[in-house]
């Protein structure tokens, strides 16, 4: 019986286990969900529901049948769809499962969509099932499907006119096909709602009409005596019937009888620096009064002779300009701006004080000698001489521009460039040769430019026996060449002079020049090409025109070489007007010369009989170049730090400007917004021009051309100290560097960033630091050859001398205890930045000893003052209370003096250290110098504080604790 029960039980258990295994097998998540590969959707701007085609449905084969033969099967989560995942950055949509069992979902917008910002959205979507196991692990994902959603527009914007108002001028008694055009735009994104379908004149009873394109014309001939000006209000409608948010005002002026001439010409045209090209005649047109015209010729002249060297040019050094124009190396500047490295032009008068333009004045009494070594005594052929010159009228005497002559004994001229009777003459005597034959020696050019009192650019390309002359970019051949024998051989040194010629035999100057010179250059070994010459001569300002394509073939435009005048020719009046309206003034200088540039337009009109039938008056005006916002170049960084002596003596040296920053800012005054409650106050101050203005600064980027580092105090001693910088890094950034015992000078037109990087590399080395305690340097940078100069950035470097512990036994004994607090705290020594200080080897310096002694003395004086107060207090009590002396004794049992723990500990060793300090003072040890140098900054700070601040500082160092003091 018992065995039967066991068999029955076993069969039941087996059946249950079989069913469980079948169920578990059915729950295995074998298949991935499936969705379509592409979906297309539409959503409206003000709605979040996306209409998808096809609908979003995910299917999963793991879902069992609802019914299996005779019994119902429970739906398992392996076949359910748990969610949809959207992939993409900043997708403003989300996907939601509506029914897990059917896999049905929907896509909707997270926030309100804006069609004007984005019309279409594309992203990918992926479905995933609910996984297997109790926690839904091992879920499976479908493939990624692409979803394209288009945002439908709603008519939410109204038309807006492009201009605030329109105006035009018509002649009376004439009907126009079109007077002017008004134009409105609509910000809606769809074609239907963004298009302007119609315009309408709102003002009633006016003789004008407007078509659907915005063109306004008159419906009848206008009469000047009846109405001189009409004011029309015009509105616009988009194709969604939305009206313009604001109507626009149209003014139409009526002109009386026709007068030929230029109309719409403004006499004063203001040019703001840095704004590119400015249209000179944007609304100008030629009125010909309907005469039959065959040709029109207009000449536009921009007078710039009074600006700089004939027009507005960059005021960089001539050497920098040669580099900017692509000239090769080897150019020597003979008239540089005065500097520490080029000082032979110091004291030479400048033209109207414009020293930044490098324009030097010679009045017939001044001349300068060029130092030896600047130019080779014998020029290597071929060579080039270039100069800017203003000279007028000619004189009978020779006037020397450049001369190389005997320094002593004789007066022979080896080569010279001079002016004589409006002739430009180059003298070039050959060196002695085996055969002393006649050779070309003087080249003469007769030029009007030499005597017209205007600036001109001269370039001489010498490739013996031929010499090519370029004046303002144009080539001139010599009209006369004379020959002479070569000079006799001699060992006499030569002297190069400018503005006169040195007579060695008489030891005096002669043949003085009268006029102005600038940019005198010599380039030996290579000739200047035409491209470089044109670049040097070209103005930074001038006239320009961008011909519209539709009129380019109907009108001819011709410029003069420096673009200060142009001629326009044509026979189509409309095309001619368009060209004139596109003529502009352009000044490419970042900081142009302010002032007036006169402007003239002279016009000739011819009719069919080839005669002048209409007299067009000359139109005259001027361009006013406004004052540019001047930049302020600021240098900043660490200006005071200390380094160990070993760093100065190391091969790397010490970096002088590790954190240097070069920043340039401009400051301008703008009108400030006035608060309503402040209106009354400002009305009473109308006479004050600064009431309505405020100062605004902004950072700008521009080039530098010079940075100079000089040693303050003693000059650099080349035997044991130097300033160094990696030459390869300097050349890599397109800069040049010269060094002397005064310091370093870096030159070249380059960005502030490149100058900053090179200055970071400057290192100071000193391999004899025993007697060195501090060294000071000064840095400044400039732009446009000194026109804008930075602040003087001064750096002081202190030398930290590490004493030998064996030299002072007392110091060596107290060293570990003294250093311990410093090792765990950050200590600021009078503003010095102690870098790489080896604390384990530092010994208290003389500065520390002096500080300890001073603090000890201060504590002593305070204690002495306390006892004096006590005595005075006792005397007062005796006077007021007679014989009660013993009743008010001073109780100092609770007297507490709180001092700095460091100072307290240092006081314990003050007696030893004072003795050592006295010995060192008598022997004149170097530590005394270090003390004065390192404590200088802290003394200055203390001297500059108010007395109350000093008192507060002392109170923090030493305070009374009177909480237990009794009287």
């Amino acid at each position: 019986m018992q065995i039967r029960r066991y068999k029955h039980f076993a069969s039941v258990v087996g059946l249950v286990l079989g069913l469980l295994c079948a169920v578990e097998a059915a729950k295995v998540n074998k298949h991935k969900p499936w969705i379509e590969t592409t979906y297309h959707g539409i959503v409206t701007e003000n709605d979040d529901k996306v209409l998808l085609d096809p609908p979003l449905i995910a299917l999963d084969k793991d879902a069992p049948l609802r019914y299996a033969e005779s019994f119902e099967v429970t739906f398992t989560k392996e076949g359910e769809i748990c969610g949809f995942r959207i992939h993409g950055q900043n997708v403003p949509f989300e996907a939601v499962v509506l029914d897990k069992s059917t896999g049905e979902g929907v896509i909707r917008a997270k926030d309100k969509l804006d069609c004007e910002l984005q019309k279409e959205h594309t992203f990918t979507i992926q479905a995933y099932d609910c996984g297997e196991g109790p926690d839904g692990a091992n879920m499976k994902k479908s493939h990624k499907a692409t979803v394209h959603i288009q945002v439908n527009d709603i008519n939410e914007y109204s038309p807006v006119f492009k201009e605030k108002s329109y105006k035009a001028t018509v002649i009376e008694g004439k009907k126009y096909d079109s007077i002017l055009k008004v134009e409105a735009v609509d910000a809606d994104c769809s074609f239907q709602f963004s298009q302007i379908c119609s315009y309408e004149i709102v003002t009633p009873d006016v003789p004008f009409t407007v078509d659907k394109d915005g063109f306004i014309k008159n419906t009848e001939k206008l009469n000047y005596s009846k109405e001189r000006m009409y004011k029309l209000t015009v509105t616009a409608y988009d194709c969604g019937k939305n009206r313009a948010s604001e109507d626009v005002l149209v003014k139409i002026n009526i002109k009386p009888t026709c007068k030929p001439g230029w109309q719409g010409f403004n006499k004063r045209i203001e040019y703001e620096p840095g704004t590119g090209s400015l249209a000179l005649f944007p609304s100008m047109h030629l009125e010909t009064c309907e005469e039959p015209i065959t040709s029109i010729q207009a000449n536009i002249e921009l007078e710039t002779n009074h600006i700089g060297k004939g027009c507005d040019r960059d005021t960089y050094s001539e050497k920098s300009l040669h580099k900017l124009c692509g000239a090769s190396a080897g150019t020597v500047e003979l008239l540089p701006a005065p500097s520490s490295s080029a000082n032979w032009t110091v004291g030479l008068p400048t033209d109207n004080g414009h020293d930044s333009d490098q324009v030097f004045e010679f009045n017939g009494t001044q001349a300068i000698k060029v130092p030896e070594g600047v130019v080779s005594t014998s020029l290597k052929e071929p060579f080039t001489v270039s100069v800017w010159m203003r000279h007028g009228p000619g004189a009978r005497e020779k006037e020397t521009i450049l001369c190389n002559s005997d320094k002593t004994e004789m007066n022979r001229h080896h080569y010279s460039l001079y002016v004589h009777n409006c002739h430009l003459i180059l003298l070039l005597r050959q060196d002695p040769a085996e055969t002393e034959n006649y050779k070309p020696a003087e080249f003469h050019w007769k030029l009007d430019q030499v005597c017209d009192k205007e600036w001109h650019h001269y370039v001489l390309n010498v490739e013996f026996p031929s010499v090519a002359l370029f004046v303002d970019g144009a080539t001139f051949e010599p009209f006369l060449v004379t020959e002479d024998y070569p000079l006799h051989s001699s060992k006499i040194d030569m002297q190069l002079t400018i503005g006169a010629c040195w007579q060695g035999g008489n030891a005096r100057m002669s043949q003085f020049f009268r006029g102005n010179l600038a940019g005198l250059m010599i380039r030996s070994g290579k000739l200047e090409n035409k491209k470089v010459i044109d670049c040097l001569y070209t103005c930074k300002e001038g006239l320009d025109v961008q011909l519209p394509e539709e009129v380019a073939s109907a009108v001819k435009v011709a410029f003069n070489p420096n673009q200060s005048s142009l001629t326009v020719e044509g026979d189509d009046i409309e095309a001619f007007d368009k060209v004139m309206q596109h003529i502009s003034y352009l000044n490419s200088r970042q900081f142009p010369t302010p002032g007036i540039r006169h402007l003239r337009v002279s016009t000739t009109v011819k009719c069919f009989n080839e005669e002048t039938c209409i007299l067009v008056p000359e139109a005259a005006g001027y361009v006013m170049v406004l004052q540019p916002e001047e930049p302020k170049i600021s240098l900043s960084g660490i200006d005071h730090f200390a380094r160990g002596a070993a760093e100065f003596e190391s091969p790397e040296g010490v970096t002088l400007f590790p954190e240097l920053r070069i920043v340039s800012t401009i400051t301008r005054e703008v009108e400030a917004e006035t608060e309503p409650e402040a209106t009354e106050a400002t009305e009473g101050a109308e006479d004050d021009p600064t009431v309505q203005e405020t100062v605004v600064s902004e950072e700008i980027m521009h080039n530098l051309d010079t940075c100079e580092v000089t040693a303050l105090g003693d000059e650099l001693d080349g035997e044991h100290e130097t300033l160094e910088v990696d030459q390869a890094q300097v050349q890599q950034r397109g800069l040049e560097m010269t060094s002397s015992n005064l310091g370093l000078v870096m030159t070249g037109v380059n960005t502030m960033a490149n100058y900053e990087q090179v200055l970071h590399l400057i290192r100071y080395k000193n391999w004899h630091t025993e007697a060195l305690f501090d060294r000071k340097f000064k840095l400044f940078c400039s732009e446009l050859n000194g026109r804008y100069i930075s602040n003087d950035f001064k750096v002081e470097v202190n030398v930290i001398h590490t004493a030998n512990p064996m030299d002072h036994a007392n110091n060596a004994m107290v060293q570990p205890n003294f250093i311990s607090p410093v090792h765990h705290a950050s200590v600021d020594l009078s503003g010095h930045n102690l870098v790489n200080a080896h604390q384990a080897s530092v010994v208290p310096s003389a500065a520390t000893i002096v500080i300890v002694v001073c603090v000890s003395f201060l504590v002593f004086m305070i204690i002495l003052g306390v006892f004096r107060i006590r005595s005075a207090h006792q005397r007062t009590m005796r006077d007021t209370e007679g014989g009660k002396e013993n009743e008010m004794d001073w109780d100092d049992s609770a007297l507490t003096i709180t001092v700095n723990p460091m100072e307290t500990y240092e006081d314990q060793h003050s007696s030893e250290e004072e003795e050592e300090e006295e010995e060192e003072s008598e022997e004149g040890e170097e530590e005394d110098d270090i003390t004065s140098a390192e404590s200088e900054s802290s003394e200055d700070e203390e001297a500059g504080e108010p007395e109350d601040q000093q008192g507060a500082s002392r109170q923090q160092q030493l305070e009374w604790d009177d909480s237990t003091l009794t009287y």
Side-chain angles (χ1 to χ4, degrees), residues 673-846:
E673 295 182 1
T674 306
E675 298 295 335
E677 57 270 13
T679 304
E680 296 180 0
T682 56
E683 287 178 355
E686 291 180 355
D687 296 337
D688 187 357
T690 62
V691 171
Q692 298 293 334
E693 296 178 348
T694 183
V695 174
V696 175
S697 296
E698 63 182 34
E699 187 172 336
I700 63 169
M701 299 300 295
H702 59 88
N703 291 332
L704 300 177
D705 56 10
T706 303
C707 280
E708 186 170 341
V709 182
T710 55
L712 298 178
D714 296 335
E715 297 179 355
L716 294 173
D717 190 342
E719 294 184 357
H720 61 79
E721 63 178 341
T722 181
L723 286 175
E724 295 183 358
V725 64
D726 188 353
Q727 288 282 0
Q729 295 287 343
V730 175
Q731 295 176 0
Q732 182 180 350
R733 289 168 175 81
L735 299 175
E736 296 182 5
M737 186 192 73
T738 57
S739 60
S740 65
N741 57 350
L742 298 176
L744 295 178
V745 179
M746 295 185 182
T747 57
V749 180
N750 219 312
T751 63
M752 292 186 292
N754 278 343
Y755 267 98
E756 195 175 272
Q757 292 172 7
V758 173
L759 291 171
H760 286 170
L761 303 175
I762 296 179
R763 294 177 175 273
Y764 171 65
K765 295 172 62 177
N766 192 313
W767 47 93
H768 182 66
T769 59
E770 291 82 359
L772 179 67
F773 304 103
D774 61 73
R775 202 69 163 101
K776 297 179 181 180
F777 298 91
K778 181 181 72 172
L779 167 67
F780 73 90
C781 298
S782 67
E783 157 74 327
L784 291 173
N785 198 38
R787 181 176 175 184
Y788 303 115
I789 303 177
S790 72
N791 60 304
D792 288 342
F793 179 65
K794 298 180 181 179
V795 174
E796 179 178 347
V797 184
N798 294 109
V799 182
I800 303 174
H801 292 277
T802 303
N804 189 347
M806 298 302 293
D807 294 343
H808 302 285
N810 291 337
N811 285 351
M813 292 174 62
V814 302
Q815 176 184 347
N817 292 335
F818 183 85
I819 296 301
S820 180
V822 181
H823 183 71
H824 299 286
S826 176
V827 180
D828 183 15
L829 296 180
S830 304
H832 296 256
N833 183 16
L834 301 182
V835 180
N836 297 330
H838 302 284
Q839 297 173 354
S841 62
V842 175
V843 179
S845 64

Side-chain angles (χ1 to χ4, degrees), residues 332-405:
V332 179
E333 189 174 12
L334 299 183
L335 281 176
S339 65
S340 59
S341 59
N343 57 1
W344 61 88
T345 57
V346 174
L348 194 63
T350 57
D351 178 30
N352 298 327
H354 298 310
D355 53 348
S356 62
D357 291 337
Q358 290 187 313
V359 175
F360 297 96
E361 182 179 359
F362 295 84
N363 60 9
T365 61
Q366 304 102 339
I368 58 174
K369 295 181 179 180
V370 179
E372 295 182 4
V374 175
V375 181
S376 174
T377 53
S378 59
L379 288 176
K380 181 181 178 182
E381 296 181 4
F383 66 90
T384 297
V385 179
S386 61
V387 65
W388 281 96
M389 181 176 69
R390 178 168 63 182
H391 178 264
R396 293 183 179 179
E397 299 82 11
K398 294 181 179 180
E399 299 180 53
T400 300
I401 301 170
L402 178 69
C403 180
N404 190 33
S405 59

Side-chain angles (χ1 to χ4, degrees), residues 876-945:
T876 303
M877 296 303 295
R878 285 196 297 269
D879 294 340
T880 55
E881 299 187 8
K884 297 182 180 181
E885 296 177 0
N886 297 328
E887 295 179 8
M888 292 296 291
D889 290 339
W890 184 271
D891 183 9
D892 57 358
S893 61
L895 181 62
T896 302
I897 300 177
T898 303
V899 297
N900 189 307
M902 190 67 187
E903 297 172 351
T904 305
Y905 183 82
E906 292 170 353
D907 290 344
Q908 298 175 9
H909 305 278
S910 61
S911 60
E912 299 179 36
E913 293 165 349
E914 287 175 7
E915 292 176 0
E916 291 181 7
E917 183 188 13
E918 291 175 359
E919 294 175 4
E920 292 170 355
S921 300
E922 293 173 358
E923 295 173 3
E925 292 292 330
E926 296 176 354
E927 283 78 6
D928 290 342
D929 295 333
I930 299 174
T931 302
S932 62
E934 293 186 349
S935 61
E936 180 180 355
S937 61
S938 60
E939 291 174 359
D940 294 342
E941 292 173 2
E942 292 175 1
E945 293 179 353

Side-chain angles (χ1 to χ4, degrees), residues 11-32:
S11 62
V12 172
V13 170
L15 179 59
V16 171
L17 291 175
L19 290 173
L20 289 174
C21 291
V23 172
E24 289 299 325
K27 290 184 178 181
V28 175
N29 191 13
K30 295 182 179 180
H31 302 284
K32 296 180 179 180

